[in-house]
Coordinates of all heavy atoms in Angstrom, one line a residue:
M1 N 216.8 83.2 213.4 CA 215.3 83.2 213.5 C 214.8 82.8 212.1 O 215.2 83.5 211.1 CB 214.7 84.5 214.0 CG 213.2 84.5 213.9 SD 212.4 86.1 214.2 CE 213.0 86.5 215.8
L2 N 213.9 81.9 212.0 CA 213.3 81.5 210.8 C 212.0 82.4 210.6 O 211.2 82.5 211.6 CB 212.9 80.1 210.8 CG 212.1 79.6 209.6 CD1 212.8 79.7 208.3 CD2 211.6 78.1 209.8
V3 N 211.9 83.1 209.5 CA 210.7 83.9 209.3 C 209.9 83.3 208.1 O 210.5 83.0 207.0 CB 211.1 85.3 208.9 CG1 209.9 86.2 208.6 CG2 211.9 85.9 210.1
L4 N 208.6 83.0 208.3 CA 207.8 82.4 207.3 C 206.5 83.2 207.1 O 206.0 83.9 208.0 CB 207.3 81.0 207.8 CG 208.4 80.0 208.1 CD1 207.8 78.7 208.7 CD2 209.1 79.6 206.8
A5 N 206.0 83.2 205.9 CA 204.8 83.9 205.6 C 203.7 82.9 205.5 O 203.9 81.8 204.8 CB 204.9 84.7 204.3
R6 N 202.6 83.1 206.2 CA 201.5 82.2 206.2 C 200.2 83.0 206.0 O 200.1 84.1 206.5 CB 201.4 81.4 207.5 CG 202.6 80.5 207.8 CD 202.6 79.2 207.0 NE 202.9 79.3 205.6 CZ 202.7 78.5 204.7 NH1 202.0 77.4 204.9 NH2 203.1 78.7 203.5
K7 N 199.2 82.5 205.4 CA 197.9 83.1 205.2 C 196.9 82.4 206.2 O 197.2 81.3 206.7 CB 197.4 83.0 203.8 CG 198.3 83.7 202.8 CD 197.7 83.5 201.4 CE 198.6 84.1 200.4 NZ 198.2 83.8 199.0
K8 N 195.8 83.1 206.4 CA 194.7 82.5 207.2 C 194.4 81.1 206.8 O 194.3 80.8 205.6 CB 193.5 83.3 207.1 CG 192.3 82.8 208.0 CD 191.1 83.7 207.9 CE 190.0 83.1 208.6 NZ 188.7 83.8 208.5
G9 N 194.4 80.1 207.7 CA 194.1 78.7 207.4 C 195.4 77.9 207.2 O 195.3 76.7 207.2
E10 N 196.5 78.6 206.9 CA 197.8 77.8 206.7 C 198.5 77.6 208.0 O 198.2 78.3 209.0 CB 198.7 78.6 205.7 CG 198.1 78.8 204.3 CD 199.0 79.5 203.4 OE1 199.8 80.4 203.8 OE2 198.9 79.3 202.2
S11 N 199.4 76.6 208.0 CA 200.0 76.3 209.3 C 201.5 75.9 209.0 O 201.9 75.8 207.9 CB 199.3 75.1 210.0 OG 199.3 74.0 209.2
I12 N 202.2 75.7 210.1 CA 203.6 75.2 210.1 C 203.6 74.0 211.1 O 202.8 74.0 212.0 CB 204.6 76.2 210.4 CG1 204.5 76.7 211.9 CG2 204.6 77.4 209.4 CD1 205.7 77.6 212.3
I13 N 204.5 73.1 210.8 CA 204.7 71.9 211.7 C 206.1 72.0 212.3 O 207.0 72.2 211.6 CB 204.5 70.6 211.0 CG1 203.2 70.6 210.2 CG2 204.7 69.4 211.9 CD1 202.0 70.5 211.1
I14 N 206.1 71.8 213.6 CA 207.4 71.8 214.3 C 207.7 70.5 214.9 O 206.9 69.9 215.7 CB 207.4 72.9 215.5 CG1 207.1 74.3 214.9 CG2 208.7 72.9 216.2 CD1 206.8 75.4 215.9
D15 N 208.8 69.9 214.6 CA 209.3 68.6 215.1 C 208.2 67.5 215.0 O 208.1 66.7 216.0 CB 209.7 68.9 216.6 CG 210.6 67.7 217.1 OD1 211.3 67.1 216.3 OD2 210.5 67.5 218.3
D16 N 207.5 67.5 213.9 CA 206.5 66.4 213.7 C 205.4 66.3 214.7 O 204.6 65.3 214.7 CB 207.2 65.0 213.6 CG 208.1 64.9 212.3 OD1 207.7 65.5 211.3 OD2 209.1 64.2 212.4
Q17 N 205.3 67.2 215.7 CA 204.3 67.1 216.7 C 203.6 68.3 217.1 O 202.6 68.3 217.8 CB 204.9 66.4 218.0 CG 206.0 67.2 218.6 CD 206.6 66.5 219.8 OE1 206.0 65.6 220.3 NE2 207.8 67.0 220.2
I18 N 204.0 69.5 216.7 CA 203.4 70.7 217.0 C 203.0 71.4 215.8 O 203.8 71.7 214.8 CB 204.4 71.6 217.8 CG1 204.9 70.9 219.1 CG2 203.7 73.0 218.1 CD1 206.0 71.6 219.8
E19 N 201.7 71.8 215.7 CA 201.2 72.5 214.5 C 200.7 73.9 215.0 O 200.0 74.1 216.0 CB 199.9 71.8 213.9 CG 199.4 72.6 212.8 CD 198.2 71.9 212.1 OE1 197.7 70.9 212.7 OE2 197.8 72.4 211.0
V20 N 201.2 74.9 214.3 CA 200.9 76.3 214.6 C 200.1 76.8 213.3 O 200.7 76.8 212.2 CB 202.1 77.2 214.8 CG1 201.7 78.6 215.1 CG2 202.9 76.6 216.0
K21 N 198.8 77.1 213.5 CA 198.0 77.5 212.4 C 197.5 78.9 212.6 O 197.2 79.4 213.7 CB 196.8 76.6 212.4 CG 195.8 76.8 211.2 CD 194.7 75.7 211.2 CE 193.9 75.8 210.0 NZ 192.9 74.7 209.9
V22 N 197.5 79.7 211.5 CA 197.0 81.0 211.4 C 195.4 80.9 211.4 O 194.9 80.4 210.4 CB 197.5 81.8 210.2 CG1 196.9 83.2 210.3 CG2 199.0 81.9 210.3
V23 N 194.8 81.3 212.5 CA 193.3 81.1 212.6 C 192.6 82.4 212.1 O 191.6 82.3 211.4 CB 192.9 80.9 214.1 CG1 191.4 80.8 214.2 CG2 193.6 79.6 214.6
A24 N 193.2 83.6 212.3 CA 192.6 84.8 211.9 C 193.6 85.9 211.8 O 194.6 85.9 212.5 CB 191.4 85.2 212.8
V25 N 193.3 86.9 210.9 CA 194.1 88.1 210.9 C 193.2 89.2 210.9 O 192.3 89.4 210.1 CB 195.0 88.1 209.6 CG1 195.8 89.4 209.5 CG2 195.9 86.9 209.4
E26 N 193.3 90.1 212.0 CA 192.4 91.2 212.2 C 193.2 92.4 212.4 O 193.7 92.7 213.5 CB 191.5 90.9 213.4 CG 190.6 89.7 213.2 CD 189.9 89.2 214.5 OE1 190.1 89.9 215.5 OE2 189.2 88.2 214.4
G27 N 193.3 93.2 211.4 CA 194.2 94.4 211.5 C 195.6 94.0 211.7 O 196.2 93.2 210.9
D28 N 196.2 94.5 212.8 CA 197.6 94.1 213.1 C 197.7 93.0 214.1 O 198.8 92.7 214.6 CB 198.4 95.4 213.5 CG 197.9 96.0 214.8 OD1 196.7 95.6 215.2 OD2 198.5 96.8 215.4
V29 N 196.6 92.3 214.3 CA 196.6 91.2 215.2 C 196.4 89.9 214.5 O 195.6 89.7 213.6 CB 195.4 91.3 216.3 CG1 195.3 90.1 217.2 CG2 195.6 92.6 217.1
V30 N 197.3 88.9 214.8 CA 197.2 87.6 214.2 C 196.9 86.6 215.3 O 197.5 86.6 216.3 CB 198.6 87.2 213.6 CG1 198.6 85.8 213.0 CG2 199.0 88.2 212.5
K31 N 195.8 85.8 215.0 CA 195.4 84.8 216.0 C 196.0 83.5 215.6 O 195.7 83.1 214.4 CB 193.9 84.8 216.2 CG 193.3 86.0 216.8 CD 191.8 85.9 217.0 CE 191.3 87.2 217.7 NZ 189.9 87.1 217.9
L32 N 196.7 82.8 216.5 CA 197.3 81.5 216.2 C 196.6 80.4 217.0 O 196.2 80.6 218.1 CB 198.8 81.5 216.5 CG 199.6 82.6 215.9 CD1 201.0 82.6 216.5 CD2 199.7 82.4 214.4
G33 N 196.5 79.3 216.3 CA 196.0 78.1 217.0 C 197.2 77.1 217.1 O 197.9 77.0 216.2
I34 N 197.4 76.5 218.3 CA 198.5 75.6 218.5 C 198.0 74.3 219.0 O 197.3 74.2 220.0 CB 199.5 76.2 219.5 CG1 199.9 77.6 219.0 CG2 200.7 75.3 219.7 CD1 200.7 78.4 220.1
E35 N 198.4 73.2 218.2 CA 198.1 71.9 218.6 C 199.5 71.2 219.0 O 200.4 71.2 218.2 CB 197.4 71.1 217.5 CG 196.0 71.5 217.3 CD 195.3 70.6 216.4 OE1 195.6 69.4 216.4 OE2 194.4 71.1 215.7
A36 N 199.5 70.7 220.2 CA 200.8 70.1 220.7 C 200.4 69.1 221.7 O 199.3 69.1 222.3 CB 201.7 71.2 221.3
P37 N 201.4 68.1 222.0 CA 201.1 67.2 223.0 C 201.0 67.9 224.4 O 201.5 69.0 224.6 CB 202.4 66.3 223.0 CG 203.0 66.6 221.7 CD 202.6 67.9 221.3
K38 N 200.2 67.3 225.3 CA 200.0 67.9 226.6 C 201.3 68.1 227.4 O 201.3 68.9 228.3 CB 199.0 67.0 227.4 CG 197.6 67.0 226.9 CD 196.7 66.3 227.8 CE 195.3 66.2 227.3 NZ 194.6 67.4 227.2
S39 N 202.3 67.3 227.0 CA 203.6 67.5 227.7 C 204.3 68.7 227.3 O 205.3 69.0 227.9 CB 204.4 66.2 227.5 OG 204.7 66.1 226.1
V40 N 203.9 69.4 226.3 CA 204.5 70.6 225.9 C 203.9 71.9 226.5 O 202.6 72.0 226.3 CB 204.5 70.7 224.3 CG1 205.1 72.1 223.8 CG2 205.2 69.6 223.7
S41 N 204.6 72.7 227.2 CA 204.1 73.9 227.8 C 204.0 75.0 226.7 O 205.0 75.2 226.0 CB 205.0 74.4 228.9 OG 205.0 73.4 230.0
I42 N 202.9 75.7 226.7 CA 202.7 76.8 225.8 C 202.2 78.0 226.5 O 201.2 77.9 227.2 CB 201.7 76.4 224.7 CG1 202.2 75.2 223.9 CG2 201.5 77.6 223.7 CD1 201.1 74.6 222.9
H43 N 203.0 79.1 226.5 CA 202.7 80.3 227.2 C 202.9 81.5 226.3 O 203.8 81.5 225.4 CB 203.5 80.5 228.4 CG 203.4 79.4 229.4 ND1 202.3 79.2 230.2 CD2 204.3 78.4 229.7 CE1 202.5 78.1 231.0 NE2 203.7 77.6 230.7
R44 N 202.2 82.6 226.5 CA 202.5 83.8 225.9 C 203.8 84.3 226.5 O 204.1 83.9 227.7 CB 201.4 84.9 226.2 CG 200.1 84.6 225.5 CD 199.1 85.7 225.6 NE 199.2 86.5 226.9 CZ 198.4 86.3 227.9 NH1 197.5 85.4 227.9 NH2 198.6 87.1 229.0
Q45 N 204.6 85.0 225.8 CA 206.0 85.4 226.3 C 205.9 86.1 227.6 O 206.7 85.8 228.5 CB 206.7 86.3 225.2 CG 208.1 86.6 225.7 CD 208.8 87.5 224.7 OE1 208.2 88.1 223.8 NE2 210.1 87.6 224.8
E46 N 205.0 87.1 227.8 CA 204.9 87.8 229.0 C 204.5 86.9 230.2 O 205.0 87.1 231.3 CB 204.0 89.0 228.9 CG 202.5 88.7 228.6 CD 202.2 88.5 227.2 OE1 203.1 88.4 226.3 OE2 201.0 88.5 226.9
V47 N 203.7 85.9 230.0 CA 203.4 85.0 231.0 C 204.6 84.1 231.4 O 204.9 83.9 232.5 CB 202.2 84.1 230.6 CG1 201.9 83.0 231.6 CG2 200.9 85.0 230.5
Y48 N 205.3 83.6 230.3 CA 206.5 82.8 230.5 C 207.5 83.6 231.3 O 208.1 83.0 232.3 CB 207.0 82.4 229.2 CG 208.3 81.6 229.3 CD1 208.3 80.3 229.6 CD2 209.6 82.2 229.1 CE1 209.5 79.5 229.7 CE2 210.7 81.5 229.2 CZ 210.7 80.2 229.5 OH 211.9 79.5 229.6
Q49 N 207.7 84.8 231.0 CA 208.7 85.6 231.7 C 208.3 85.8 233.2 O 209.1 85.8 234.1 CB 208.9 87.0 231.1 CG 209.6 86.9 229.8 CD 209.7 88.2 229.0 OE1 208.9 89.1 229.2 NE2 210.7 88.3 228.1
A50 N 207.0 86.0 233.5 CA 206.5 86.2 234.8 C 206.7 84.9 235.6 O 207.1 84.9 236.8 CB 205.0 86.5 234.8
I51 N 206.5 83.7 235.0 CA 206.7 82.4 235.6 C 208.2 82.3 236.0 O 208.6 81.8 237.1 CB 206.3 81.3 234.7 CG1 204.7 81.3 234.6 CG2 206.8 79.9 235.2 CD1 204.2 80.4 233.5
Q52 N 209.1 82.6 235.0 CA 210.5 82.5 235.3 C 210.9 83.4 236.4 O 211.7 83.0 237.3 CB 211.3 82.9 234.0 CG 211.1 81.9 232.9 CD 211.4 80.5 233.2 OE1 212.5 80.2 233.7 NE2 210.5 79.6 233.0
E53 N 210.4 84.6 236.5 CA 210.7 85.6 237.6 C 210.3 85.0 239.0 O 211.0 85.0 239.9 CB 210.1 86.9 237.4 CG 210.8 87.8 236.3 CD 212.2 88.1 236.7 OE1 212.5 88.4 237.9 OE2 213.1 88.0 235.8
E54 N 209.1 84.4 239.0 CA 208.6 83.8 240.2 C 209.4 82.6 240.6 O 209.7 82.4 241.8 CB 207.1 83.3 240.0 CG 206.1 84.5 240.0 CD 206.0 85.2 241.3 OE1 206.1 84.5 242.4 OE2 205.9 86.4 241.3
N55 N 209.9 81.8 239.7 CA 210.7 80.7 240.0 C 212.1 81.2 240.5 O 212.6 80.6 241.5 CB 211.0 79.8 238.7 CG 209.7 79.0 238.3 OD1 208.8 78.9 239.1 ND2 209.7 78.5 237.1
R56 N 212.6 82.2 239.9 CA 213.9 82.8 240.5 C 213.7 83.3 241.9 O 214.5 83.1 242.7 CB 214.4 83.9 239.5 CG 215.2 83.4 238.3 CD 215.9 84.5 237.6 NE 215.0 85.3 236.8 CZ 214.6 85.0 235.6 NH1 215.1 83.8 235.1 NH2 213.8 85.7 234.9
A57 N 212.6 84.0 242.1 CA 212.3 84.5 243.5 C 212.2 83.4 244.5 O 212.7 83.5 245.6 CB 211.1 85.4 243.5
A58 N 211.5 82.3 244.1 CA 211.3 81.2 245.0 C 212.6 80.5 245.3 O 212.8 80.1 246.4 CB 210.4 80.2 244.3
R59 N 213.5 80.4 244.4 CA 214.8 79.8 244.6 C 215.6 80.7 245.6 O 216.5 80.2 246.3 CB 215.6 79.7 243.3 CG 215.2 78.5 242.5 CD 216.2 78.1 241.4 NE 216.5 79.2 240.5 CZ 215.8 79.5 239.4 NH1 214.8 78.7 239.0 NH2 216.2 80.5 238.6
M60 N 215.4 82.0 245.6 CA 216.1 82.9 246.5 C 215.6 82.9 247.9 O 216.2 83.5 248.8 CB 216.1 84.3 245.9 CG 216.8 84.4 244.5 SD 218.5 83.8 244.5 CE 219.3 85.1 245.3
T61 N 214.4 82.4 248.1 CA 213.7 82.4 249.4 C 214.4 81.4 250.3 O 214.6 80.3 250.0 CB 212.2 82.1 249.3 OG1 211.6 83.0 248.4 CG2 211.5 82.1 250.6
A62 N 214.8 81.9 251.5 CA 215.4 81.0 252.5 C 214.4 80.0 253.0 O 213.3 80.3 253.3 CB 216.0 81.8 253.6
F63 N 214.8 78.7 253.1 CA 214.0 77.7 253.6 C 214.3 77.4 255.1 O 215.4 77.3 255.5 CB 214.2 76.4 252.8 CG 213.4 75.2 253.3 CD1 212.0 75.2 253.2 CD2 214.0 74.2 254.0 CE1 211.3 74.1 253.7 CE2 213.3 73.1 254.5 CZ 211.9 73.1 254.3
D64 N 213.2 77.4 255.9 CA 213.4 77.1 257.3 C 212.9 75.7 257.6 O 211.7 75.5 257.7 CB 212.6 78.2 258.1 CG 212.7 78.0 259.6 OD1 213.5 77.2 260.0 OD2 211.9 78.7 260.3
P65 N 213.8 74.8 257.9 CA 213.4 73.4 258.2 C 212.5 73.3 259.5 O 211.7 72.4 259.6 CB 214.7 72.7 258.3 CG 215.8 73.6 258.3 CD 215.2 74.9 257.9
E66 N 212.7 74.2 260.4 CA 211.9 74.2 261.6 C 210.4 74.5 261.3 O 209.5 73.9 261.9 CB 212.4 75.3 262.6 CG 213.7 74.9 263.2 CD 213.7 73.5 263.9 OE1 212.7 73.2 264.7 OE2 214.6 72.7 263.7
W67 N 210.2 75.3 260.3 CA 208.8 75.6 259.9 C 208.1 74.3 259.4 O 207.0 74.1 259.7 CB 208.8 76.7 258.8 CG 207.4 76.9 258.2 CD1 206.5 77.8 258.7 CD2 206.9 76.4 257.0 NE1 205.4 77.7 257.9 CE2 205.6 76.9 256.9 CE3 207.4 75.5 256.1 CZ2 204.8 76.5 255.8 CZ3 206.6 75.1 255.0 CH2 205.3 75.6 254.9
L68 N 208.9 73.6 258.6 CA 208.4 72.3 258.1 C 208.1 71.3 259.2 O 207.0 70.7 259.2 CB 209.4 71.7 257.1 CG 208.9 70.5 256.3 CD1 207.6 70.8 255.5 CD2 210.0 70.0 255.4
K69 N 208.9 71.3 260.2 CA 208.7 70.4 261.4 C 207.4 70.8 262.1 O 206.6 70.0 262.5 CB 209.9 70.4 262.3 CG 211.1 69.7 261.8 CD 212.2 69.8 262.8 CE 213.5 69.2 262.2 NZ 214.7 69.4 263.1
K70 N 207.2 72.1 262.3 CA 206.0 72.6 263.0 C 204.7 72.3 262.1 O 203.7 71.9 262.7 CB 206.1 74.1 263.2 CG 207.1 74.5 264.2 CD 207.2 76.0 264.3 CE 208.3 76.4 265.2 NZ 208.5 77.9 265.2
L71 N 204.8 72.4 260.9 CA 203.7 72.1 260.0 C 203.4 70.7 260.1 O 202.2 70.3 260.2 CB 204.1 72.5 258.5 CG 203.0 72.3 257.5 CD1 201.7 73.1 257.8 CD2 203.5 72.5 256.1
K72 N 204.4 69.8 260.1 CA 204.1 68.4 260.1 C 203.5 68.0 261.5 O 202.5 67.2 261.5 CB 205.5 67.6 260.0 CG 205.3 66.1 260.0 CD 206.6 65.4 259.8 CE 206.5 63.9 259.9 NZ 207.7 63.2 259.9
S73 N 204.0 68.6 262.6 CA 203.4 68.3 263.9 C 202.0 68.8 264.0 O 201.1 68.1 264.6 CB 204.3 68.8 265.0 OG 204.2 70.2 265.0
N74 N 201.6 69.9 263.3 CA 200.2 70.4 263.3 C 199.3 69.5 262.6 O 198.1 69.4 262.9 CB 200.2 71.8 262.8 CG 200.8 72.8 263.7 OD1 200.9 72.6 264.9 ND2 201.1 74.0 263.1
I75 N 199.8 68.8 261.6 CA 199.0 67.9 260.7 C 198.7 66.6 261.5 O 197.6 66.1 261.4 CB 199.7 67.7 259.4 CG1 199.7 69.0 258.5 CG2 198.9 66.6 258.6 CD1 200.5 68.9 257.3
E76 N 199.7 66.2 262.2 CA 199.6 64.9 262.9 C 198.8 65.1 264.2 O 197.9 64.7 264.6 CB 201.0 64.4 263.3 CG 201.8 64.0 262.1 CD 203.3 63.7 262.5 OE1 203.7 64.0 263.6 OE2 203.9 63.0 261.7

């Protein structure tokens, strides 16, 4: 892990395309601003973990092809 010290208003650049800037420091809370291409997903860690758990659960769900056929016939 790379550890850097930055002050309010300072930033770091990642891979020539992502800028992480220290926007504010309020007590023990640091607010970061992130500029990145739209193709880059940015999530808080707890949100990312929840998404991963949902994806794992979805992969474990059994798929019923008959349900899909019924759905298709209801649309037609």
Side-chain angles (χ1 to χ4, degrees):
M1 175 189 302
L2 173 64
V3 179
L4 301 170
R6 299 278 77 201
K7 296 178 183 175
K8 180 180 174 183
E10 295 181 333
S11 62
I12 63 169
I13 305 295
I14 302 170
D15 197 29
D16 293 328
Q17 60 181 347
I18 301 170
E19 179 179 9
V20 180
K21 185 174 187 175
V22 178
V23 176
V25 179
E26 301 168 359
D28 62 347
V29 175
V30 177
K31 292 185 179 180
L32 303 173
I34 302 169
E35 288 190 32
K38 292 187 184 291
S39 62
V40 175
S41 298
I42 301 171
H43 302 287
R44 295 187 325 262
Q45 182 183 17
E46 62 273 17
V47 172
Y48 177 78
Q49 288 175 336
I51 291 168
Q52 295 303 308
E53 285 298 319
E54 287 294 322
N55 288 344
R56 277 191 281 280
R59 283 194 303 269
M60 299 303 287
T61 302
F63 176 71
D64 180 6
E66 291 303 314
W67 174 84
L68 187 58
K69 288 178 187 176
K70 289 177 189 175
L71 181 63
K72 182 180 176 188
S73 66
N74 288 340
I75 293 172
E76 296 172 341

